[in-house]
Amino acid sequence: MKSAACLCLCGLFIWAAEPANVVFEQAVRALAAGDYAAAERGFQSVIRGQPRHVGAIGNLGVIYSRTNRADKAIAAYRRALQLSPDDEALLLNLGLVYFKLEFHRRALPLFARVVAIDPQHKQARQLLAVCRLYSGQLAPAIRDLETLRAANPRDEQ
């Protein structure tokens, strides 16, 4: 009798648990609304059930970055990039954390990878040029800036 009651109780908990995709979507909405605490709890819950959920891991990086926890953001983005090494958003976000910390030499190869994946990625190309300037790589920085200018000519009057 005790085992039947235990099975029923366990079944109730399994039924009551929300699917990871529902929790993920709730966390995404919380993040968009600026409720970082709720979003963080949601993404961590998803990761407990699905440790390789790149979206949840990457979004934790966003939360950590926005709440000035750079070390945690870097760790989250690196973990997500191990699972999805060519994800442009993850590369860009990790590069932005390094850029914000003024670690331009660490940010540079990340922005370069984004540009290699998508040569039309304007933000990554701009950040790459700035990192090259700060790293003393003037000739490549000038080439990057000229490429941007050629791609986006302004009306000169």
Side-chain angles (χ1 to χ4, degrees):
M1 186 68 150
K2 285 183 182 178
S3 62
C6 182
L7 285 174
C8 288
L9 188 58
C10 289
L12 179 62
F13 284 122
I14 291 170
W15 178 80
E18 294 185 79
N21 62 332
V22 172
V23 174
F24 179 80
E25 290 303 322
Q26 290 171 342
V28 168
R29 285 193 295 279
L31 177 58
D35 187 350
Y36 300 132
E40 185 174 353
R41 284 190 305 273
F43 292 131
Q44 287 175 341
S45 174
V46 171
I47 293 167
R48 277 192 298 278
Q50 297 179 14
R52 298 175 59 87
H53 194 291
V54 175
I57 299 166
N59 279 312
L60 276 178
V62 171
I63 292 166
Y64 297 145
S65 180
R66 290 184 184 174
T67 56
N68 299 314
R69 295 181 278 172
D71 289 345
K72 284 186 152 202
I74 290 167
Y77 289 136
R78 284 183 176 169
R79 180 176 168 199
L81 281 165
Q82 287 177 340
L83 301 170
S84 184
D86 292 326
D87 186 306
E88 292 177 38
L90 295 171
L91 291 164
L92 186 67
N93 285 341
L94 179 55
L96 286 168
V97 173
Y98 285 133
F99 189 85
K100 185 177 178 182
L101 295 170
E102 298 184 10
F103 296 160
H104 301 107
R105 290 186 188 275
R106 288 188 181 174
L108 193 150
L110 297 163
F111 297 141
R113 281 184 58 201
V114 174
V115 170
I117 294 166
D118 179 5
Q120 303 304 314
H121 199 293
K122 184 177 176 182
Q123 182 184 18
R125 190 171 289 284
Q126 290 170 334
L127 290 164
L128 176 61
V130 173
C131 285
R132 284 182 170 158
L133 284 172
Y134 282 126
S135 300
Q137 300 175 16
L138 300 180
I142 291 169
R143 279 195 306 274
D144 288 335
L145 294 171
E146 287 173 345
T147 301
L148 280 168
R149 187 170 151 222
N152 300 301
R154 294 185 180 181
D155 293 336
E156 295 181 23
Q157 298 178 1

